[in-house]
Amino acid sequence: MGRRLRRRPLADHAQRAAWMRTHPFQWLEISTYPATYSAHTVARGIKTGDRVEYARHYGPAGAFETRTTTTEGGTTVHARFIGKAVNG
C-alpha cells in the first residue's frame, strides 16, 4: 500500500501578511510544505510580491523577507515584514 499523505490546511496568506504588517520585523510561520521546491517557490513569491494568487498580499517587492528551514514534516517557510522597498 502507498504512503498516505496528511493534507495540511492551506495558509491564509491575506491574514498572515496583515499580521506581519502590524508586527514589523517579527518572524511568522507561513506554512510547512512537503516538497522543498514548493517551499522555495512560495518564499520567492513572498519576497518578490509576485502576482500569483498567494503572493499578491505581500507586495511591493522587497517589503518582506523569508527564510526556510528543514523540519520533520518538510520545509517550513517563515516571513517578516521589513517595510516598503526602496526603488533603486
Side-chain angles (χ1 to χ4, degrees):
M1 270 187 129
R3 188 174 92 185
R4 268 192 165 202
L5 294 178
R6 195 172 97 215
R7 197 155 170 95
R8 297 180 191 280
L10 296 175
D12 184 343
H13 291 282
Q15 181 269 335
R16 283 172 171 73
W19 185 91
M20 287 184 285
R21 287 179 191 281
T22 61
H23 300 88
F25 301 103
Q26 293 185 34
W27 290 101
L28 178 67
E29 182 179 315
I30 303 302
S31 191
T32 299
Y33 300 87
T36 301
Y37 175 81
S38 297
H40 287 278
T41 299
V42 170
R44 185 180 65 245
I46 291 170
K47 286 193 291 190
T48 62
D50 285 344
R51 291 291 176 202
V52 294
E53 182 61 30
Y54 68 86
R56 64 187 172 92
H57 305 288
Y58 300 103
F64 290 84
E65 67 179 359
T66 61
R67 66 182 179 201
T68 58
T69 54
T70 302
T71 61
E72 189 175 306
T75 303
T76 301
V77 176
H78 290 84
R80 68 180 179 174
F81 179 69
I82 57 173
K84 297 218 183 260
V86 178
N87 292 331

